[in-house]
Amino acid sequence: MRSIFLLTLSFCYYYSGGYGQTAISFHTVMKTGNVYRQTVQTETTIALNVDDLSQELKDAIQNNPMTANMFKKQQMLIETETRCGQPDAVTGLMPVRMKVTRDTGAMIAEVLPVGTNFYGHVSPGKLPVFDSTDIKGGTQMQSMLARMKNISAGIAFPDTTLSVGQTYTQVIPIDMPGGGMNMKMLMTQTYTLTGFSADTASFDVRVKGTLDMGVVELPITGAAEGEGHLVYDRKNNFPTDNQLNVLMAMVITQGGNSMRMDIHSNQLTHVVISKE
């Protein structure tokens, strides 16, 4: 009788969740011998409100072909392959190489040309840091490396332990050089664990950001807000699916003129992990 009672108790305990984990730990790991094939699809819509501009400025914007082409829906896709070398016996650092394997879209060839290689290292439990590229030219090379730094920051993932319903928040500084100005954005990303299995874990993601142009002569304010979902591969300790829908509003005010620009971005990131 005692054996039957204990067996029944164990059965109930297992199916009530007592046997399973109530909290799980997360950290990002890249491993030698794995190939990380990443696909990023982005759809961006830019809308411009010029109601508070002078008629002269309105005409200049509307009659400028470059400006007119800017404010359209833009779609682009980029695929990369990332591989890690053998870790250093002392530091644990692994050399890493990322190669751009595919591009589509009008702008992407200017962003990350096919065949471009980026080189760097991976610290244990961290995402890659890229510090060199085979792109020739000082300004272009620095711009590309800055973009790669932002890509890594954008997919940063918590190194923590969470139960279902708990959240983790991290603040990420992002540099966005361009047009002779160095735009900076402070991104706050909040992950809420919504569920997990032996293979995966699912998160709701909320994003908030503030923009700092650092230009006194051209005051620009901006803020971003969005939400999405993330799937984490527990077997490989790596996020494999990330969907983010973000709206960034920028307001430019100068000399009594005010212009608002809304940038709506929907991005899907998918990673397939396989052996060499």
Side-chain angles (χ1 to χ4, degrees), residues 73-125:
K73 185 178 290 185
Q74 299 169 349
Q75 295 178 323
M76 59 186 187
L77 177 149
I78 184 165
E79 293 181 354
T80 61
E81 289 185 2
T82 303
R83 290 173 167 83
C84 302
Q86 293 294 330
D88 183 272
V90 178
T91 65
L93 291 178
M94 294 185 297
V96 63
R97 176 177 69 91
M98 189 192 80
K99 182 177 182 179
V100 179
T101 56
R102 183 186 175 195
D103 69 53
T104 63
M107 295 176 60
I108 203 64
E110 300 176 4
V111 179
L112 296 172
V114 168
T116 300
N117 288 288
F118 293 89
Y119 307 93
H121 64 270
V122 182
S123 301

Side-chain angles (χ1 to χ4, degrees), residues 152-211:
S152 294
I155 61 172
F157 190 73
D159 186 357
T160 187
T161 299
L162 295 173
S163 299
V164 173
Q166 287 188 322
T167 63
Y168 174 89
T169 299
Q170 59 186 358
V171 179
I172 304 170
I174 296 177
D175 292 329
M176 298 180 290
M181 295 179 290
N182 187 27
M183 299 180 286
K184 295 179 181 292
M185 178 163 278
L186 207 59
M187 297 294 293
T188 300
Q189 299 185 171
T190 301
Y191 301 86
T192 302
L193 179 63
T194 57
F196 63 89
S197 67
D199 297 325
T200 63
S202 300
F203 293 82
D204 283 341
V205 184
R206 290 195 172 274
V207 176
K208 287 190 175 183
T210 54
L211 184 69

Side-chain angles (χ1 to χ4, degrees), residues 31-37 81-85 97 273-276:
K31 299 176 182 177
T32 303
N34 282 354
V35 182
Y36 299 83
R37 293 181 173 89
E81 289 185 2
T82 303
R83 290 173 167 83
C84 302
R97 176 177 69 91
I273 304 171
S274 61
K275 296 296 182 182
E276 291 270 19

Side-chain angles (χ1 to χ4, degrees), residues 40 62-63 115 144 150 159-160 166 170 184 208 253 265:
V40 180
Q62 292 167 355
N63 296 328
M144 291 296 178
N150 292 335
D159 186 357
T160 187
Q166 287 188 322
Q170 59 186 358
K184 295 179 181 292
K208 287 190 175 183
T253 305
S265 176

